[in-house]
Protein backbone atom coordinates (compact mmCIF):
# COMPACT_ATOMS: atom_id res chain seq x y z
CA UNK A 1 0.00 0.00 0.00
CA UNK A 2 1.14 3.55 -0.66
CA UNK A 3 2.59 5.55 2.17
CA UNK A 4 0.96 8.93 2.70
CA UNK A 5 3.14 11.74 4.01
CA UNK A 6 2.41 15.32 5.00
CA UNK A 7 4.44 18.23 6.40
CA UNK A 8 4.66 17.98 10.16
CA UNK A 9 3.57 21.53 10.87
CA UNK A 10 2.64 24.87 9.34
CA UNK A 11 2.04 28.36 10.65
CA UNK A 12 -0.27 30.91 9.08
CA UNK A 13 -1.89 34.23 9.89
CA UNK A 14 -5.57 34.91 10.16
CA UNK A 15 -7.20 35.72 6.84
CA UNK A 16 -4.60 33.92 4.74
CA UNK A 17 -5.19 30.97 2.45
CA UNK A 18 -3.51 27.78 3.64
CA UNK A 19 -2.51 24.89 1.38
CA UNK A 20 -1.57 21.53 2.89
CA UNK A 21 -0.16 18.87 0.61
CA UNK A 22 -0.30 15.11 1.02
CA UNK A 23 1.99 12.80 -0.96
CA UNK A 24 0.58 9.40 -1.94
CA UNK A 25 2.77 8.23 -4.76
CA UNK A 26 1.25 4.83 -5.56
CA UNK A 27 -2.53 4.96 -5.54
CA UNK A 28 -4.83 3.28 -8.05
CA UNK A 29 -7.27 4.97 -10.39
CA UNK A 30 -10.33 4.54 -8.19
CA UNK A 31 -8.68 5.10 -4.82
CA UNK A 32 -10.20 8.06 -2.99
CA UNK A 33 -8.61 10.92 -1.09
CA UNK A 34 -10.32 12.39 1.95
CA UNK A 35 -9.27 15.06 4.47
CA UNK A 36 -10.03 15.48 8.15
CA UNK A 37 -9.61 18.07 10.90
CA UNK A 38 -8.85 17.03 14.45
CA UNK A 39 -8.87 19.03 17.67
CA UNK A 40 -7.18 17.66 20.82
CA UNK A 41 -8.98 14.69 22.40
CA UNK A 42 -11.74 14.75 19.76
CA UNK A 43 -12.46 12.44 16.86
CA UNK A 44 -11.37 13.60 13.39
CA UNK A 45 -14.02 15.54 11.49
CA UNK A 46 -14.58 15.02 7.77
CA UNK A 47 -13.76 18.04 5.57
CA UNK A 48 -13.75 17.01 1.92
CA UNK A 49 -13.19 14.09 -0.46
CA UNK A 50 -12.43 13.45 -4.13
CA UNK A 51 -10.48 11.26 -6.53
CA UNK A 52 -9.54 13.59 -9.40
CA UNK A 53 -9.23 17.24 -10.46
CA UNK A 54 -10.86 19.72 -8.11
CA UNK A 55 -13.61 19.56 -5.53
CA UNK A 56 -14.95 22.52 -3.56
CA UNK A 57 -17.41 22.74 -0.69
CA UNK A 58 -18.38 25.47 1.75
CA UNK A 59 -15.22 25.16 3.85
CA UNK A 60 -12.38 23.92 1.62
CA UNK A 61 -11.13 22.91 -1.80
CA UNK A 62 -9.28 19.77 -2.78
CA UNK A 63 -6.90 19.76 -5.73
CA UNK A 64 -5.71 16.48 -7.25
CA UNK A 65 -3.29 16.69 -10.19
CA UNK A 66 -3.51 14.34 -13.15
CA UNK A 67 -0.73 12.04 -11.90
CA UNK A 68 -2.56 11.69 -8.54
CA UNK A 69 0.72 11.36 -6.67
CA UNK A 70 -0.32 14.13 -4.32
CA UNK A 71 -3.32 16.15 -3.26
CA UNK A 72 -3.68 19.61 -1.74
CA UNK A 73 -6.22 20.78 0.79
CA UNK A 74 -6.87 24.50 0.48
CA UNK A 75 -8.44 26.43 3.36
CA UNK A 76 -9.48 29.95 2.36
CA UNK A 77 -9.10 32.80 4.85
CA UNK A 78 -8.23 30.81 7.97
CA UNK A 79 -9.19 31.97 11.46
CA UNK A 80 -7.79 31.16 14.90
CA UNK A 81 -10.39 28.40 15.27
CA UNK A 82 -8.82 26.56 12.33
CA UNK A 83 -5.80 25.72 14.49
CA UNK A 84 -5.86 21.92 14.48
CA UNK A 85 -4.22 18.83 13.02
CA UNK A 86 -5.19 18.02 9.43
CA UNK A 87 -5.00 14.50 8.06
CA UNK A 88 -5.30 13.17 4.57
CA UNK A 89 -6.69 9.68 4.31
CA UNK A 90 -6.46 7.46 1.25
CA UNK A 91 -9.23 4.94 0.69
CA UNK A 92 -7.83 1.93 -1.16
CA UNK A 93 -10.85 0.58 -3.02
CA UNK A 94 -9.35 -2.44 -4.82
CA UNK A 95 -10.37 -5.72 -3.23
CA UNK A 96 -10.86 -5.18 0.50
CA UNK A 97 -11.18 -1.56 1.53
CA UNK A 98 -8.45 -0.06 3.68
CA UNK A 99 -8.55 3.49 4.95
CA UNK A 100 -5.01 4.67 5.68
CA UNK A 101 -4.25 7.97 7.37
CA UNK A 102 -1.40 10.26 6.48
CA UNK A 103 1.04 11.48 9.09
CA UNK A 104 -0.92 14.64 9.90
CA UNK A 105 -0.08 18.36 9.67
CA UNK A 106 -0.32 20.57 12.72
CA UNK A 107 -1.63 23.96 11.58
CA UNK A 108 -1.23 26.92 13.87
CA UNK A 109 -3.09 30.10 12.95
CA UNK A 110 -1.63 33.26 14.42
CA UNK A 111 -3.43 36.53 15.09
CA UNK B 1 -28.80 13.21 14.74
CA UNK B 2 -26.38 11.14 12.65
CA UNK B 3 -23.64 9.90 14.92
CA UNK B 4 -21.22 7.23 16.04
CA UNK B 5 -21.50 6.46 19.75
CA UNK B 6 -18.62 4.91 21.67
CA UNK B 7 -18.67 3.79 25.27
CA UNK B 8 -17.06 4.27 27.67
CA UNK B 9 -15.26 7.60 27.15
CA UNK B 10 -12.66 6.76 29.79
CA UNK B 11 -11.56 3.40 31.12
CA UNK B 12 -8.84 2.36 33.53
CA UNK B 13 -8.29 -1.37 33.85
CA UNK B 14 -5.71 -3.87 35.02
CA UNK B 15 -3.53 -6.11 32.92
CA UNK B 16 -5.31 -9.26 31.79
CA UNK B 17 -8.88 -8.25 32.60
CA UNK B 18 -11.05 -8.67 29.51
CA UNK B 19 -12.88 -5.58 28.33
CA UNK B 20 -15.18 -4.47 25.53
CA UNK B 21 -15.51 -1.03 24.02
CA UNK B 22 -18.84 -0.60 22.28
CA UNK B 23 -19.49 1.30 19.05
CA UNK B 24 -22.83 1.98 17.44
CA UNK B 25 -23.82 4.05 14.40
CA UNK B 26 -27.28 5.20 13.29
CA UNK B 27 -26.54 6.00 9.65
CA UNK B 28 -26.90 2.51 8.14
CA UNK B 29 -23.25 2.62 7.06
CA UNK B 30 -21.73 -0.52 5.58
CA UNK B 31 -18.15 0.17 6.65
CA UNK B 32 -16.98 0.40 10.24
CA UNK B 33 -13.50 0.54 11.67
CA UNK B 34 -11.44 0.92 14.81
CA UNK B 35 -8.31 3.09 15.15
CA UNK B 36 -5.87 3.74 17.90
CA UNK B 37 -4.07 7.04 18.22
CA UNK B 38 -0.73 7.35 19.98
CA UNK B 39 1.56 10.38 20.23
CA UNK B 40 3.99 10.45 17.32
CA UNK B 41 2.34 7.47 15.61
CA UNK B 42 -0.85 9.05 14.28
CA UNK B 43 -4.03 7.06 13.65
CA UNK B 44 -3.53 3.38 12.94
CA UNK B 45 -6.26 1.04 11.79
CA UNK B 46 -6.87 -1.98 14.04
CA UNK B 47 -9.76 -3.81 12.35
CA UNK B 48 -12.43 -2.97 9.85
CA UNK B 49 -15.69 -4.42 8.62
CA UNK B 50 -17.27 -4.01 5.21
CA UNK B 51 -20.62 -5.40 6.32
CA UNK B 52 -22.31 -7.81 8.71
CA UNK B 53 -20.13 -10.86 9.42
CA UNK B 54 -17.31 -9.45 7.24
CA UNK B 55 -14.26 -8.28 9.18
CA UNK B 56 -10.59 -7.95 8.36
CA UNK B 57 -7.32 -6.93 9.98
CA UNK B 58 -5.92 -3.47 9.72
CA UNK B 59 -2.33 -2.50 10.41
CA UNK B 60 -2.19 -3.25 14.16
CA UNK B 61 -4.65 -6.09 14.96
CA UNK B 62 -2.56 -8.00 17.52
CA UNK B 63 -4.27 -8.24 20.89
CA UNK B 64 -7.70 -7.17 19.63
CA UNK B 65 -10.87 -8.88 18.44
CA UNK B 66 -13.99 -7.53 16.77
CA UNK B 67 -17.36 -8.81 15.69
CA UNK B 68 -20.09 -7.49 13.41
CA UNK B 69 -23.29 -9.34 14.15
CA UNK B 70 -25.51 -6.35 13.40
CA UNK B 71 -24.94 -3.59 10.91
CA UNK B 72 -25.07 -0.82 13.48
CA UNK B 73 -22.70 -2.29 16.10
CA UNK B 74 -18.98 -3.01 15.98
CA UNK B 75 -17.52 -3.75 19.43
CA UNK B 76 -13.78 -3.87 20.10
CA UNK B 77 -12.68 -6.63 22.46
CA UNK B 78 -9.43 -6.83 24.37
CA UNK B 79 -9.25 -10.38 25.71
CA UNK B 80 -6.16 -9.81 27.85
CA UNK B 81 -5.20 -6.12 27.88
CA UNK B 82 -1.58 -5.15 28.35
CA UNK B 83 -0.02 -1.76 29.18
CA UNK B 84 1.09 -1.27 25.54
CA UNK B 85 -2.60 -1.08 24.62
CA UNK B 86 -2.95 2.12 26.61
CA UNK B 87 -4.13 4.53 23.94
CA UNK B 88 -6.92 6.71 22.58
CA UNK B 89 -9.34 4.62 20.52
CA UNK B 90 -11.73 5.81 17.85
CA UNK B 91 -14.54 4.04 16.08
CA UNK B 92 -15.63 5.29 12.67
CA UNK B 93 -18.18 4.44 10.02
CA UNK B 94 -18.76 5.34 6.39
CA UNK B 95 -20.66 4.45 3.27
CA UNK B 96 -18.77 2.69 0.48
CA UNK B 97 -18.90 3.64 -3.17
CA UNK B 98 -18.04 6.44 -5.52
CA UNK B 99 -21.67 7.52 -5.66
CA UNK B 100 -22.00 8.00 -1.91
CA UNK B 101 -18.34 8.60 -1.13
CA UNK B 102 -16.11 7.37 1.66
CA UNK B 103 -16.25 10.10 4.26
CA UNK B 104 -15.86 8.83 7.80
CA UNK B 105 -17.96 9.81 10.79
CA UNK B 106 -15.95 9.32 13.99
CA UNK B 107 -16.99 8.64 17.53
CA UNK B 108 -15.83 10.83 20.40
CA UNK B 109 -13.09 8.43 21.43
CA UNK B 110 -12.29 6.11 24.33
CA UNK B 111 -9.23 6.81 26.42
CA UNK B 112 -8.01 3.47 27.74
CA UNK B 113 -5.36 3.07 30.42
CA UNK B 114 -4.07 -0.42 31.26
CA UNK B 115 -2.08 -0.63 34.49
Amino acid sequence: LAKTTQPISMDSYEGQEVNITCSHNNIATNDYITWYQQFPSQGPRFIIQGYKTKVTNEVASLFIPADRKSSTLSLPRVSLSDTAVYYCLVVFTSGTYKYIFGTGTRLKVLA
Amino acid sequence: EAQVTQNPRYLITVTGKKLTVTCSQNMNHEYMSWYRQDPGLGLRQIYYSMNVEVTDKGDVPEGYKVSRKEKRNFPLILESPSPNQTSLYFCASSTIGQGSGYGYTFGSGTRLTVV
Side-chain angles (χ1 to χ4, degrees):
Chain A
L1 291 177
K3 185 174 169 134
T4 53
T5 57
Q6 304 174 230
I8 293 174
S9 64
M10 298 177 70
D11 288 347
S12 180
Y13 288 96
E14 279 190 293
Q16 289 188 330
E17 178 184 76
V18 170
N19 296 309
I20 305 173
T21 298
C22 177
S23 297
H24 32 73
N25 60 359
N26 193 26
I27 66 172
T29 304
N30 292 324
D31 291 343
Y32 242 69
I33 297 141
T34 58
W35 283 83
Y36 295 80
Q37 176 192 57
Q38 188 181 29
F39 298 111
S41 297
Q42 294 185 23
R45 184 178 71 93
F46 173 78
I47 300 173
I48 197 167
Q49 66 179 337
Y51 74 103
K52 62 179 180 179
T53 61
K54 177 184 174 181
V55 179
T56 297
N57 63 20
E58 60 275 9
V59 298
S61 295
L62 175 59
F63 299 93
I64 304 168
D67 66 9
R68 304 182 80 238
K69 292 185 177 182
S70 66
S71 60
T72 298
L73 172 72
S74 181
L75 303 172
R77 298 180 299 281
V78 294
S79 63
L80 294 175
S81 63
D82 293 317
T83 294
V85 180
Y86 292 82
Y87 290 95
C88 68
L89 181 151
V90 176
V91 182
F92 296 93
T93 62
S94 301
T96 57
Y97 285 70
K98 282 202 171 185
Y99 289 48
I100 305 298
F101 275 96
T103 49
T105 299
R106 188 174 299 275
L107 172 66
K108 185 174 183 180
V109 180
L110 307 168
Chain B
E1 180 190 353
Q3 61 186 359
V4 174
T5 303
Q6 285 179 239
N7 280 297
R9 286 294 309 274
Y10 301 92
L11 179 60
I12 301 175
T13 190
V14 296
T15 299
K17 185 176 181 183
K18 181 180 178 180
L19 66 91
T20 300
V21 184
T22 63
C23 175
S24 181
Q25 51 97 1
N26 63 1
M27 296 163 283
N28 201 36
H29 285 168
E30 299 92 345
Y31 191 96
M32 296 186 74
S33 185
W34 278 99
Y35 288 84
R36 62 177 289 173
Q37 187 170 33
D38 303 290
L41 296 176
L43 287 139
R44 295 178 293 168
Q45 193 174 39
I46 303 171
Y47 268 96
Y48 63 97
S49 168
M50 291 178 62
N51 217 322
V52 176
E53 303 293 359
V54 181
T55 63
D56 208 347
K57 297 177 181 178
D59 294 322
V60 288
E62 294 78 21
Y64 305 94
K65 285 177 58 177
V66 294
S67 68
R68 188 95 179 271
K69 294 185 171 60
E70 305 166 285
K71 196 171 186 179
R72 63 184 294 125
N73 295 324
F74 191 46
L76 179 70
I77 303 157
L78 285 72
E79 295 266 359
S80 183
S82 62
N84 65 11
Q85 292 179 297
T86 293
S87 187
L88 180 58
Y89 291 86
F90 289 105
C91 179
S93 72
S94 77
T95 54
I96 298 176
Q98 292 202 3
S100 53
Y102 301 91
Y104 263 146
T105 300
F106 278 85
S108 300
T110 296
R111 188 168 293 280
L112 172 65
T113 302
V114 183
V115 298

